[in-house]
Amino acid sequence: MTAQPVLKTDLVQTQLVKPCLVSSELDIELNKDLSKELKKSTQSKFSKAAAHYNTHANVQKHAASDLFKLIKPDFNKNKLCVDLGAGPLVNTHTLQSMFSSVVAIDLSLNMLQSSDLTTAKLCADMDNLPLQANSVDVIYSNFAVQWSANFSALMQSLYSILKPGGQAYISTVVEGSLNEIKTAFAALDSNSHINTFNSELYINQSVQNAGFTINSAQKRIYTDEYTTPFKAITSIKAIGATTQNHTNTRQGLLTKSALQKVCSAYPLINNKACVSYHVVLLSLQKH
C-alpha cells in the first residue's frame, strides 16, 4: 500500500510529497557545472511562462504523445511514477490513467501551482532530487532533461532512484535544434543566442554508462511554423526556453534595428518561419 501524500515544509518550497520517497539529504549544493544565478534564471523564466505555456508548447505536445506510445499498454498499473519536469502538469493526467500513483516534479513552483490537478507535487531541482534510492517504478520526462546542468550525472541519479526493473521514458532536445534562430542571429553578431544541446551520441553514451539498458532510442524532428520571423523568435520565450547554458551569451535587450536585422536574416520556407527541434525519445530499463 502506497503512503498518502502529506504536506512537508522542510523541502525547497512547500509541496505535497510521498514521505517514503524523500531523502534526508536535502542540503546538497547546486551542481557546480551550472551557477546558482543561471539555475535561478531558468526557474524564473519557466515560472513567468506558466500562464501561457500550454498555448505555445505545440512541439512538446507532439513529443509527449510519441513518448507515451513507448509505454507498454499492458504495463502493470500498480506502480509509482515520477513526472520529471512536469511543468503545468500537461502530461500528469495521462500518467494517472496509466499508473496508480504519480508525483509531479518541477523546478518552477508557479508551473506546479498553475494546475488544479490533484496529485503529489514536488518543487525541486532535477540535479538534486530529494528521492531515495530504489523508490520509484517509472520515470517519465518530456522536454525537460536538456536543462540539466550535467546530463550524465542526472542519468546516474535516475538509475539510482529507480527500483530494479524500473523503466524510464525520456525525451530530450539534442544538437541541431533551433538552427533557424541560430542562423538569423548570426547576421547580428558572433555571440550565442540559443542554448547548447547535447549530441545524440553523448545522450546514448550517458544512459549506457549509467547502467541503463536502451530498449528504444528514436530520433525525431518536430517543427513549428509561424507567419513571421518575430513570432518564431518569441515562441521560445513563450515556453520559458530562453536561458542560455553557456558563457558566450549576448547581454541586454535587442534594439529595434537589431531585431529587424535578425528578422530579415531568418530563413523562410514557403514564406513560413519554422522553428525545429531535434529530439531523442528513449525507453530505458534498470536491471
Side-chain angles (χ1 to χ4, degrees), residues 4 16 36 51 60 63 66 80 82 90 98 110 139 144 158-159 164 167 176-177 195 208 220 229 259 285:
Q4 292 298 311
L16 284 174
K36 289 184 178 181
Q60 288 83 339
D66 287 339
L80 173 60
V82 163
V90 291
M98 296 179 168
N110 283 4
I139 294 171
L158 298 186
Y159 188 88
Q167 304 277 342
S177 298
N195 287 283
Q208 289 177 317
R220 302 285 175 86
L259 181 58
Q285 186 168 6

Side-chain angles (χ1 to χ4, degrees), residues 28-41:
I28 304 173
E29 293 183 359
L30 289 172
N31 194 296
K32 293 181 180 179
D33 294 334
L34 196 62
S35 69
K36 289 184 178 181
E37 289 74 18
L38 183 53
K39 194 67 89 167
K40 288 179 181 178
S41 175

Side-chain angles (χ1 to χ4, degrees), residues 46 60 126 141-149 151 154 170-174 195-198 203 241 245 277 279:
F46 278 102
Q60 288 83 339
M126 70 172 70
S141 183
N142 182 56
F143 254 74
V145 297
Q146 66 269 7
W147 308 120
S148 169
F151 180 83
L154 173 60
I170 297 170
S171 72
T172 182
V173 181
V174 297
N195 287 283
T196 300
F197 298 108
N198 292 317
I203 296 296
N245 53 359
Y277 294 83
V279 179

Side-chain angles (χ1 to χ4, degrees), residues 186-197:
L188 182 63
D189 55 42
S190 60
N191 292 316
S192 181
H193 295 264
I194 63 171
N195 287 283
T196 300
F197 298 108

